[in-house]
Every structure is written in structure tokens, then in C-alpha cells.
Amino acid sequence: MSGTIVVAALYRFTRLENFEALREPLLALMERHDVKGTLLLAHEGINGTVSGHRAGIDALVAWLRADPRLSDLEYKESFTDAHPFLRSKVKLKREIVTMGVEDVDPNRSRGTYLEGEDWNRVIADPETLVIDTRNDYEYEVGTFEGALNPNTKSFREFPDYVREHLDPGRHKRVAMFCTGGIRCEKSTAYLKEQGFDEVYHLKGGILKYLETVPKEQSLWRGECFVFDERVTVDHDLKPGAYDQCHACRRPISEADKASPLYRKGVSCPHCHDESSAEQKARFAERQKQIELARQRGEPHLGHDPREHGNKE
């Protein structure tokens, strides 16, 4: 373990009939213990990633698990030297992970959980269709051997991918994975409801796999994108080699930053043709304010990676 800040990723699918009433006491607890990050609450449960010192994270998790509905909270940790988040937020949502399909309930039906060793055995079988349920830019920085890239820009596109490319008559065994496990709770539930029989799910996601499976036994290749200022983590769950374009929020390599299409905070090779001149001018002004705040030793609250992208 290295670093003094605990980064905790957590979720639980459960019926929270009064989820609105949890927001204020939960936010007060986070602020009292200097726990930063975002928690999402909805009728279907809780999801989020937060950071703090050991005592603060322990207090938050104990408070959540004291609620019988959240006692089996799915939870994993990594460590870093400074808060990767700038603010404490608790948001009320329709879904804790947005697929956009009504009535997909992982408590009713979902794939079979696999731990790391069993996951390796199943995905090594050529009869298994292995699908990375994350977004295309996440796939590009790292994935499992042999995994298919659905080329989705957001999780909302995943049901369309299933309808257009998968067939329960041909694809007899499907194994799916994501960053922390929550997207696969819904994606495997969706496949089961579409008539797929043998559906598997990497329990705890990539992060739990990297934590528990030794490198010499690992079938993971590359780094894992995370939705905070670390951008990516390596197999040791330490900050990886990627930076982030703060215009489009995609991960960028040193080669990307050497491109003439890269302007810090304004554009990168992935997004230079996706924004107007007016937007680029606005991004440039924002970057200027970020740099000025940094010189003063102050955080710039307009720059928070957790505000963007599909959160898990």
C-alpha cells in the first residue's frame, strides 16, 4: 500500500424507497470527515467513488452499512497521495448507472459472478464471447485478452449493440466486465432478459481483479481508466502513464501531447475537430483560470473529472 488517501469505489443495487431523505445526512457526514467525491442515490440503490483519510472513509462506510439495505455494499479500495476529487457531492438520480432501459433489475436477474481465477479460466475458453462493456476510450488504454470492443460512446448505447450484434442462439456463453462491476450488473441483467442463458460477470470489476490477481497470472493488458484525476491506474493500482484532455475528458498519451493538434485544456488529437472556434476560446479561458488558480495554490472548481463521462 502506498499513499495516505484512500480512494473507495462502492455500489449496491437495492430498493431505496426514501432515497431522497438520505442525501442531506450523507453529505453532512462527508463534509464533516473531509470525504470528497460523488455519491449517486436512486430508487435502485447507491453508486459512487470517494476519497479521504482512513478514518473518514471508515466512518462513511460504517454509516452506509448500518442501513440493512446497504449492509452488503460492493466495495473496493486503492490509494494515492492526494485527493483525486475536489468537492463532496451527493446527487439524486433516476438510475445509479444510466442504461436508459426501463425495469432492468439486477436483483431479479443477473449474470453469474466470477472471481479472478475462475474468470481467467472462462475467458480463455474459445467458446466464450468476452465483451468489454465500457466506452471506446476506456477500451483503448487497456482491456482483457481477446475482449470485444462494442465501440460505444456511452453505456446508453449498449442495448443497441446487443440488439444489432448479439444473438442468444449463436452466442451460448457470454462474459462481461467493466471498471468496478456496476455496469455489468445491468448489462448481464439485460442479456438475461433478452434470452441469453449462460452469462458471466467479473465480480468487483477490473479494479478488484487487479487487486487480487498476481501479475504473472493476469490476462489484463494495459492500464485501467478511472473517473478521477489519476486518469488511469496500472496493475498495482498506482497512477498510470496517461494524462487527460480537459476539453473532451479522454485519456491522452505523451505522443498525443506531442501532436500539433494538442492544446492543453483546449483540444487533443481525439477532439480537435469536435468543437467550434467559440468553444475553443471558452476552453482556453477556462484553462487560463485553472493555471492562475494553481499559481495561487487554490483548486479550480470548474475542473472536476468526476463531472464528466460515464461514472462507475
Side-chain angles (χ1 to χ4, degrees):
M1 183 182 78
S2 64
T4 58
I5 296 295
V6 182
V7 182
L10 57 92
Y11 75 86
R12 172 69 174 156
F13 279 98
T14 186
R15 299 305 297 176
L16 294 178
E17 300 297 344
N18 64 333
F19 72 96
E20 299 93 342
L22 298 176
R23 182 183 181 277
E24 292 304 323
L26 193 48
L27 181 59
L29 181 81
M30 291 174 67
E31 292 175 340
R32 186 164 64 249
H33 291 280
D34 191 34
V35 174
K36 300 184 186 298
T38 301
L39 294 175
L40 306 180
L41 294 170
H43 280 296
E44 66 182 10
I46 186 171
N47 174 31
T49 305
V50 295
S51 63
H53 292 284
R54 177 83 272 163
I57 294 297
D58 287 350
L60 172 65
V61 173
W63 190 91
L64 291 171
R65 285 184 166 159
D67 185 325
R69 299 168 299 179
L70 301 174
S71 60
D72 291 332
L73 199 68
E74 182 69 32
Y75 176 82
K76 63 193 70 66
E77 293 182 350
S78 57
F79 303 89
T80 189
D81 293 325
H83 272 295
F85 305 110
L86 301 179
R87 291 173 284 194
S88 305
K89 290 177 285 187
V90 180
K91 296 184 176 183
L92 305 180
K93 294 287 188 177
R94 288 176 58 85
E95 299 177 83
I96 58 174
V97 60
T98 305
M99 178 184 264
V101 177
E102 294 287 337
D103 201 34
V104 175
D105 184 359
N107 290 314
R108 184 174 61 238
S109 176
R110 62 183 166 206
T112 301
Y113 288 138
L114 293 176
E115 304 284 356
E117 183 177 333
D118 290 332
W119 173 259
N120 282 355
R121 175 180 52 79
V122 169
I123 70 169
D125 186 332
E127 296 299 312
T128 304
L129 183 69
V130 185
I131 301 175
D132 190 332
T133 66
R134 302 171 305 152
N135 301 329
D136 52 5
Y137 60 87
E138 298 174 82
Y139 177 95
E140 288 166 5
V141 301
T143 194
F144 280 102
E145 279 187 12
L148 292 181
N149 178 9
N151 288 301
T152 53
K153 302 295 183 187
S154 77
F155 193 46
R156 282 183 175 274
E157 297 177 7
F158 188 76
D160 289 336
Y161 171 80
V162 172
R163 285 190 291 269
E164 294 169 9
H165 298 280
L166 302 186
D167 178 358
R170 290 192 300 117
H171 302 113
K172 300 294 187 181
R173 183 190 301 136
V174 180
M176 293 190 282
F177 64 93
C178 53
T179 309
I182 187 169
R183 277 179 275 192
C184 289
E185 297 276 3
K186 275 203 169 177
S187 63
T188 60
Y190 180 73
L191 255 68
K192 295 289 283 186
E193 292 181 3
Q194 301 306 305
F196 292 83
D197 182 36
E198 196 174 351
V199 181
Y200 295 98
H201 165 188
L202 177 58
K203 183 171 175 57
I206 300 160
L207 295 178
K208 179 62 73 174
Y209 181 93
L210 298 181
E211 178 186 337
T212 57
V213 175
K215 283 184 186 178
E216 60 271 17
Q217 298 173 20
S218 178
L219 298 181
W220 177 259
R221 301 294 177 259
E223 296 184 356
C224 178
F225 182 86
V226 289
F227 290 94
D228 60 54
E229 287 191 348
R230 295 172 297 171
V231 186
T232 61
V233 294
D234 62 18
H235 207 292
D236 296 318
L237 296 176
K238 296 176 180 177
Y242 286 81
D243 202 345
Q244 188 172 45
C245 171
H246 295 303
C248 68
R249 308 296 169 178
R250 294 182 179 97
I252 50 175
S253 65
E254 291 302 313
D256 291 328
K257 292 196 288 185
S259 167
L261 300 175
Y262 175 69
R263 290 177 59 197
K264 187 174 182 179
V266 178
S267 67
C268 74
H270 306 292
C271 71
H272 71 282
D273 59 352
E274 295 178 356
S275 57
S276 66
E278 180 182 354
Q279 287 173 313
K280 285 183 171 66
R282 190 168 70 250
F283 296 160
E285 178 60 28
R286 180 186 61 190
Q287 184 62 32
K288 177 183 175 182
Q289 296 304 318
I290 290 171
E291 295 296 338
L292 289 172
R294 184 174 291 124
Q295 291 171 19
R296 296 191 299 267
E298 301 170 354
H300 187 272
L301 296 183
H303 167 215
D304 188 344
R306 189 74 190 183
E307 289 290 329
H308 301 268
N310 191 350
K311 306 167 184 66
E312 180 173 75

